[in-house]
Amino acid sequence: MELPEPVTRRIDQARTRYPAEEPRAAVIEALHAAQDELGWLDQPTLDAVADYLGLEPIKVYEAATFYDMFNREPVGRHHVRVCTNISCWLCDSDAVTDRLRERLGIDFGETTSDGRFTLTEVECLGACGGAPVIWIGRSYYENATPERVEEILDGLE
Ligand code: FES
């Protein structure tokens, strides 16, 4: 598999920010570029990223499987991730997740039949001061409430 040109262009840009002998430094940015273009990261894509960077595939697999931000399965157009870890749970993330499930008609790990939304439960998003936290695309929605869930989803195309 060959990576699409927009992906290789972003990888090339990323490489300019790091020493030439350290291609591994660009792995995270390369994975973001591939995911932005392709929606998720399948095995051929990971192999293509490794090949393009001149790395052993395991170096790319390690990053792709460690971080929640990388999708290893196809997801809906809007990937709704909600934190249920301790700070968010203490601030009633249960009410937020209940409203998300009701509104979307799906449970964690599922995608709506129209392919618009995927709902995922995640561990701490590192924004505990704004608990409960929902993460969609490149945005964090802090201090989430059931009412705010409605506003957030209404605001998505
Ligand atoms: S516990 Fe939810 S952001 Fe930290």
Side-chain angles (χ1 to χ4, degrees):
M1 169 191 177
E2 276 198 27
L3 294 170
E5 189 277 335
V7 177
T8 56
R9 184 166 15 98
R10 283 180 60 184
I11 294 173
D12 292 345
Q13 289 169 350
R15 296 278 324 259
T16 66
R17 293 190 282 277
Y18 305 106
E21 67 275 16
E22 297 291 347
R24 194 174 176 188
V27 166
I28 298 293
E29 289 178 69
L31 291 174
H32 274 300
Q35 183 166 279
D36 288 348
E37 187 70 18
L38 304 168
W40 65 291
L41 301 171
D42 60 9
Q43 193 72 33
T45 300
L46 297 182
D47 290 339
V49 167
D51 186 55
Y52 194 77
L53 289 172
L55 294 170
E56 290 296 316
I58 186 65
K59 303 299 183 193
V60 175
Y61 302 165
E62 288 169 348
T65 57
F66 181 80
Y67 295 104
D68 279 340
M69 59 199 172
F70 297 124
N71 304 320
R72 297 287 291 116
E73 302 285 338
V75 294
R77 183 149 39 97
H78 302 293
H79 191 182
V80 180
R81 298 168 168 108
V82 58
C83 175
T84 58
N85 213 311
I86 188 66
S87 296
C88 290
W89 180 75
L90 288 170
C91 293
D92 206 12
S93 62
D94 284 352
V96 172
T97 58
D98 286 350
R99 183 63 63 93
L100 282 165
R101 285 195 193 94
E102 277 172 34
R103 166 75 185 254
L104 298 175
I106 55 175
D107 207 337
F108 292 133
E110 295 179 346
T111 298
T112 55
S113 57
D114 61 4
R116 290 185 67 209
F117 295 96
T118 295
L119 182 61
T120 302
E121 179 180 33
V122 293
E123 298 299 325
C124 181
L125 292 170
C128 309
V133 181
I134 299 171
W135 169 26
I136 305 173
R138 298 205 179 270
S139 299
Y140 268 22
Y141 300 90
E142 300 184 0
N143 305 303
T145 62
E147 296 72 30
R148 185 92 173 94
V149 163
E150 300 291 345
E151 290 171 24
I152 294 165
L153 296 181
D154 286 345
L156 298 173
E157 57 179 287

